[in-house]
Amino acid sequence: MTTLTDKPTAATGEPGSARSLVDTVFRAREISIAGALVLLILCTWIANPRFLDSQGVKDLLLNASILVLLAIGQSVVVVTRNIDLSVGSVTGLSAFACGKFVADTEHGVLITLLLGVAIGLACGLVSGALVSFGRVPALVVTLGMLYIIQGLDYWWASGDQINAAQVPEAILHLGSGSVLGVPYLPLIAVVLLALTTYFLRGYRSGRELYAIGSNPEAARLAGTPMRRRVLGAYLFSGAVAGFAGALWLARFGTVVADNAHGYELTVVSAVVVGGVAITGGTGTAWGAALGALLVTTIGSALVVLKVSSFWQGAITGALLLAAISADRIVNLRMTAALRKRSARHGHGA
Amino acid sequence: MTIRTAARGRTAATAAAVCALAVALTACSGTTKNDAKNDAGGAAASSAKADPNAPLKKNLKMAFLPKQINNPYEKIVDDAGIAAAKSFHGTAKEVGPSDASASSQVSYINTLIQQQQDAILVAANDPNAVCGPLKQAMKQGIKVVSYDSDTAKDCRQIFINQASSEDIGRSLIQHIGKQIGYKGKIAILSATQNATNQNTWIDFMKQELKDPKYKNMKLVKVAYGDDDDQKSFQQTQGLLQAYPDLKGIISPTTVGIAAAARYLDDSSYKGKVVLNGLGTPNQMRKYVKDGTVEQFSLWNPENLGYLGAYAAAALASGQITGAQGDTFSAGKLGKFTVGKDGEVILGKPTVFDKTNIDQFHF
Amino acid sequence: MAMAPDTRSPAPGAAGKAEPPLTAGLRAKSLALRWDTAVVALLIAVFLVGLGTTDGFSGGGNLAFAFNDISEVALIALPMTLLVVAGEIDLSVGSMLGFSSALAGALWNAGWAFETIVPIVLVVGILGGLLNGWLVTRVGLPSLAVTIGTLALYRGLASVVLGSDAITDFPSKYAAWTANTTTLPGTFLTYPIVLFIVLAIVTAFVLHSTSFGRSLFAIGAQEDAAFFAGIRVKRYKLLLFVLTGLLSAFAGIVFTLRYGSARADNGTGYELLVISAILLGGIDFDGGKGTLAGAVAGILLIGVLRNLLTLNDVPGEVQTVVTGLLLVASVLTPRIIGAVTERRQRRAASAAAATT
């Protein structure tokens, strides 16, 4: 991962010292999350070694994959100081549509995935156009889209269900198969993560997303094509959500209308836990993915630790709050340190 | 005022004051649960006499109110009921909420009262939350039948039970006991924590387990998959990791058993852990055929809807009042007798396995 | 507004910076006002259509039911309106409602007196609000993130205190106060709705006619400017979070009595319902804009529309789509109207310039 992210940094040819300091700050957020994750996994593993046997690791990775994908998509929107609450509905609609499409047929994997992406793109286009060209608050529009897409999905499905027996074997294999012992889904998530990270840091348009999020006014004055960039972010998030829907079908085999119902808040919390500020401008896709991994691992660990399922919600909530508070405190410390150091280097003035 | 001081950081003081107030109130003995028990009035007993020979009325209007409108299982039940209503020249419809929460059915009941339906058939998400409006409906002469999941007893005239709850609970333990040789740890994967029917069945399972022949079997955990496919899937994973020597899982819910079967199917636990419970043949066919699941059971959901429609019509036509011993005929299913507490039992559940699964398509 | 004289030297700069957003805010406010009126008009129109076309809509029983059915959402929406005006949000309200319901149920089951339970539950609501407010104002976390966390936390606590139980048999003398069959004599107003009306009037007065209310708009429009103008931003926000927690807990008691069932999952998803109701009423999520009348109209519109559509057998899925469309329309329409009038004014101005 680091090799990938470092290359474009060098290519941009910015002053090395300042850049590496910024890197340290950014990385600190992710390191604290990764630390929490490792600690959690270690403790659970000590309590129950089966948590990390081959089946356990496979389950852990598979559980997290879809949330990781959605979190990566969401992080690209959130850095622009926007939000996409419709992802749960889009995933649900796409999963059901793909299920309906492949049911009792021999449709291939590729065309199904493309269908999912197309549905997601269409939804993302509507949300994105409303937010960027309609200049309306993202929270309201995407909340509206959440309802609209969910209503259409339920209306269309009207109690139908696609069963695993109806889904072609090739598609189910995508959800459960693996290469060299690593299941496909986590691999897909890692590839998307690498591409997104590369884009956000290596391309001008990627970095412009951060500029828009941290100071829209300045970004506009600097001539950033804001509307196009924000629309692009929504298209990406929508496409990822649609893609995740197709994978949902592959993974679970059974789909009904309300798949991924209520997922939007889980995705947003994963992104926030991952250090992507809801106020825009900071955070990485890599952090969001870690956040998603942490959120699902908490869930799995509690079950393995035989914590009563009644406690699960409370503990998850408390850990989320602790994570964002700790993140905030670390961030404040690092900013202070950064300021001190840049003052010493004479950048302070 | 209280809030202001709280905001000013004097929370402790406020809290103390309120607590003092609370204690004072307790001291002068407020309303407690025991008082309330006494004032809960009994339901108005129906004074009308049943006339078993009354013909079924024509053009009856009835409505099915399922737990949740996009639940595939409930859809099968309701569609069969709607078709049955047509067969005796009535009209039936299905209305309902898109989420299975306690409160969401209430506004639909109110609407059905306004629409002056002849009968309401309800699968209650919560036995008590729907009570008030159902009593209002009965007061206005609307007949109320609960099916699938019962309401409190005095809020409906008849409950169509898919099979006796005791039968379901006990037979699931008997089946899995036989499968695992009456030895080892078992777990239950249920629906939501509050699901009435599942909780009733689980209680009977626990009672059955007290029988000495199960002394080597231990129920280690009841997990809840919330009737959500993905959550049930993950709960199954968790169960198997937390209890590596688990011998069997009982999932008394169609969503849960399908998710658990799918997990077992491509995990290393396949063939080592016995899965039993309640499922639909369409969902389970794949897993029965590939050997993940040996057997599971269910009643015929179409018959449940069919019987419900006939029972509602019999009530609305005055053939029965819901009193114990009333009898009515339900078309192709034959004669049924109302049992204790207005309960009508559909029959024994069917056990599905490799040999018979292909005869069923629902 | 309340600039102290000794800050005069930086004042011109600050004022100059603040000027454009302020006027923009004013313009947007007048547009938002228009949306308020539109929602009120829509509400009246829907009401009239209901009276004219649907049997059983106008019956006192039905109206009492329709309004009573949204009483919890309406009660929570009042403090939430203030919070959104001040640029914050609370997503934990539905969970707090559930926690309050579960706690009331657990204590009731343990044999506590109902008169004792109510104040305890309300204190818990205040504490929950304090936690939200403290994390937002003192730790400095964004409210969206904090309240997503407490959404999970409070719902989790609800299921810890009550588990899978559903507690019933609440005292009928109190339950009667919340029932849709007990109305203010001669009207279709149930007691929760009467309480809502009283609180709405108080809130409207506070928001629009007191300096406290005006400072909330200032905070929402430009927090830094408000702070430098001497408004105690953090304290006010904390107070609003506490109020929201308190009202959510109270709504939990109303809910419990009304349905006669205390469960840990009561009120799941209410947060989005409350927020869509007030956003529909023209309260701007970016803060600083909106009127309470609009918010109230938004809440009532959702209630009446839902009742009317259900009476006409419109499936729930379509109602969900309608809610979504209305939400999008609520933010899009004022923008479109604004763009059109602006273009017309510009054209008129250039025409005027050409003639002179």
Side-chain angles (χ1 to χ4, degrees), chain A residues 14-51:
Chain A
E14 282 178 38
S17 69
R19 190 58 197 241
S20 72
L21 272 172
V22 172
D23 273 358
T24 328
V25 176
F26 278 133
R27 225 173 271 152
R29 294 164 153 269
E30 278 99 47
I31 284 170
S32 63
I33 304 154
L37 185 62
V38 169
L39 198 70
L40 177 70
I41 292 176
L42 271 182
C43 292
T44 318
W45 178 62
I46 290 166
N48 184 344
R50 281 176 79 96
F51 190 58

Side-chain angles (χ1 to χ4, degrees), chain B residues 105-293:
Chain B
Q105 291 178 315
V106 169
S107 58
Y108 286 92
I109 298 172
N110 171 67
T111 308
L112 295 173
I113 297 174
Q114 303 299 336
Q115 292 174 338
Q116 294 162 344
Q117 300 284 333
D118 294 305
I120 298 175
L121 293 106
V122 58
N125 280 325
D126 179 287
N128 295 294
V130 288
C131 246
L134 285 180
K135 281 182 179 165
Q136 281 177 40
M138 290 197 287
K139 223 182 261 173
Q140 303 199 14
I142 299 173
K143 306 298 173 193
V144 177
V145 175
S146 63
Y147 66 100
D148 183 36
S149 177
D150 199 7
T151 66
K153 288 182 179 54
D154 52 349
C155 310
R156 46 81 181 154
Q157 275 123 344
I158 279 188
F159 170 45
I160 308 290
N161 204 343
Q162 42 272 70
S164 116
S165 301
E166 186 161 358
D167 253 15
I168 298 176
R170 291 190 188 273
S171 68
L172 285 175
I173 292 291
Q174 286 154 6
H175 290 158
I176 206 161
K178 209 181 283 171
Q179 283 177 295
I180 64 174
Y182 300 101
K183 216 170 146 187
K185 292 181 180 168
I186 58 166
I188 294 173
L189 175 66
S190 182
T192 61
Q193 297 174 0
N194 304 303
T196 336
N197 38 0
Q198 269 85 11
N199 286 344
T200 320
W201 298 331
I202 292 172
D203 282 343
F204 280 115
M205 290 185 209
K206 286 179 180 161
Q207 282 184 27
E208 176 72 17
L209 279 171
K210 287 188 187 132
D211 191 301
K213 75 173 160 183
Y214 303 109
K215 62 178 189 297
N216 293 325
M217 272 168 70
K218 193 169 169 243
L219 174 63
V220 288
K221 170 120 180 160
V222 181
Y224 299 95
D226 291 352
D227 262 355
D228 174 281
D229 191 70
Q230 193 211 1
K231 186 137 190 247
S232 308
F233 193 87
Q234 284 169 3
Q235 287 292 330
T236 314
Q237 291 177 0
L239 279 176
L240 292 168
Q241 281 186 359
Y243 305 96
D245 48 350
L246 201 66
K247 284 279 177 287
I249 297 177
I250 298 177
S251 183
T253 159
T254 55
V255 180
I257 195 172
R262 211 173 48 253
Y263 175 72
L264 289 179
D265 192 25
D266 49 51
S267 79
S268 55
Y269 303 102
K270 181 175 177 174
K272 292 178 196 149
V273 176
V274 171
L275 177 65
N276 206 322
L278 305 174
T280 66
N282 277 356
Q283 279 180 312
M284 301 299 290
R285 201 177 316 275
K286 176 171 187 284
Y287 308 110
V288 168
K289 289 194 169 166
D290 73 10
T292 312
V293 175

Side-chain angles (χ1 to χ4, degrees), chain C residues 87-259:
Chain C
E88 301 290 346
I89 197 163
D90 186 348
L91 292 177
S92 70
V93 288
S95 298
M96 181 45 88
L97 189 158
F99 183 32
S100 135
S101 174
L103 188 62
L107 294 177
W108 176 248
N109 208 25
W112 292 49
F114 197 75
E115 292 81 357
T116 321
I117 295 173
V118 173
I120 290 177
V121 165
L122 296 183
V123 169
V124 168
I126 291 174
L127 292 177
L130 271 176
L131 177 63
N132 283 334
W134 181 75
L135 286 169
V136 171
T137 59
R138 307 293 153 179
V139 184
L141 295 165
S143 55
L144 196 62
V146 166
T147 57
I148 284 178
T150 50
L151 177 147
L153 178 65
Y154 298 157
R155 181 67 65 193
L157 289 177
S159 100
V160 168
V161 296
L162 204 52
S164 64
D165 297 341
I167 308 295
T168 54
D169 292 332
F170 286 94
S172 53
K173 65 172 173 181
Y174 292 111
W177 284 89
T178 61
N180 61 306
T181 42
T182 336
T183 55
L184 209 60
T187 63
F188 59 79
L189 299 175
T190 58
Y191 286 100
I193 289 298
V194 171
L195 179 67
F196 166 70
I197 293 172
V198 172
L199 289 179
I201 293 169
V202 172
T203 314
F205 175 77
V206 168
L207 183 62
H208 296 297
S209 310
T210 64
S211 66
F212 173 71
R214 279 189 294 268
S215 43
L216 295 185
F217 282 107
I219 294 171
Q222 217 166 21
E223 189 171 329
D224 290 344
F227 177 76
F228 288 119
I231 296 171
R232 315 188 70 163
V233 175
K234 288 185 176 178
R235 181 158 300 176
Y236 284 0
K237 283 189 176 174
L238 187 66
L239 175 61
L240 293 183
F241 277 108
V242 169
L243 271 176
T244 312
L246 175 68
L247 260 287
S248 307
F250 183 75
I253 291 172
V254 174
F255 189 104
T256 310
L257 287 175
R258 196 157 74 84
Y259 291 107

Side-chain angles (χ1 to χ4, degrees), chain C residues 295-321:
Chain C
V296 170
I299 297 158
L300 297 184
L301 181 61
I302 285 195
V304 172
L305 202 58
R306 240 208 279 166
N307 181 261
L308 197 56
L309 292 174
T310 316
L311 273 177
N312 285 308
D313 281 338
V314 175
E317 301 90 322
V318 178
Q319 297 184 27
T320 313
V321 175

Side-chain angles (χ1 to χ4, degrees), chain B residues 34 50 52 62 78 141 160:
Chain B
N34 296 332
M62 52 178 78
D78 295 352
I160 308 290

